[in-house]
Amino acid sequence: MILLEGGNDILRSANLNQTKHNLFQMIQLASSQGIQVVLLGVPKKGVFLRTTDFYQQLVDEHQLVFAKDLVKDLLSDQKYKSDLIHFNQLGYQLMVQQIYQLLLDKGALE
C-alpha cells in the first residue's frame, strides 16, 4: 500500500500528534492484513520545505519503505504544480515514475 496522508492536516494546522496517530492506525490495519506499506513524507508548512518529523518516527517504528523527500522535491518546483499546493499532470506523472522506481529498487516489482 502506498500511503500519502497528512497534507491537509498539516495545511490546516491540525494537531500533529493526532495526524501521526491516524497514520499509525492506517499502518497497523494494513500490517495486520499482511499488507506492506510504502510511506510518502509530507512537508510541514513554512518557508523551507522539510518533511514533518513524525514520518521518520513511524518508519523507524514499523520498518517501512519511506519516500521521505519525494513530495517535498516536487512541491519545491513550480513546474510540477497547478497551484501553491497541488501537483499538475507533470508532477503526478513524475511522482508515479519515482514510486515505480522505488518499488523496483526495493524488489516489490520485477
Side-chain angles (χ1 to χ4, degrees):
M1 175 174 84
I2 299 167
L3 181 56
L4 171 58
E5 186 67 40
N8 285 335
D9 290 349
I10 292 167
L11 286 173
R12 294 181 182 136
S13 299
N15 181 308
L16 293 182
N17 288 326
Q18 183 62 50
T19 301
K20 179 182 176 186
H21 179 73
N22 293 344
L23 285 163
F24 172 83
Q25 288 184 311
M26 288 182 241
I27 293 164
Q28 286 285 59
L29 180 60
S31 296
S32 73
Q33 301 296 313
I35 299 168
Q36 294 182 355
V37 177
V38 175
L39 185 62
L40 278 64
V42 176
K44 57 186 168 182
K45 289 192 304 187
V47 176
F48 302 104
L49 293 176
R50 193 176 127 215
T51 302
T52 304
D53 294 335
F54 68 72
Y55 287 95
Q56 186 64 55
Q57 295 166 2
L58 290 167
V59 167
D60 293 343
E61 185 174 339
H62 298 280
Q63 302 301 304
L64 304 174
V65 173
F66 187 34
K68 179 180 180 180
D69 294 327
L70 189 152
V71 173
K72 175 192 74 80
D73 291 347
L74 291 172
L75 287 175
S76 67
D77 193 330
Q78 188 59 42
K79 72 180 171 192
Y80 300 125
K81 299 189 309 187
S82 62
D83 57 29
L84 292 175
I85 57 173
H86 296 101
F87 299 128
N88 58 23
Q89 183 176 353
L90 182 60
Y92 282 115
Q93 286 174 339
L94 188 55
M95 182 171 72
V96 168
Q97 290 170 357
Q98 290 181 12
I99 292 169
Y100 178 76
Q101 187 61 52
L102 176 66
L103 294 173
L104 284 173
D105 293 346
K106 296 296 180 179
L109 300 174
E110 294 181 7

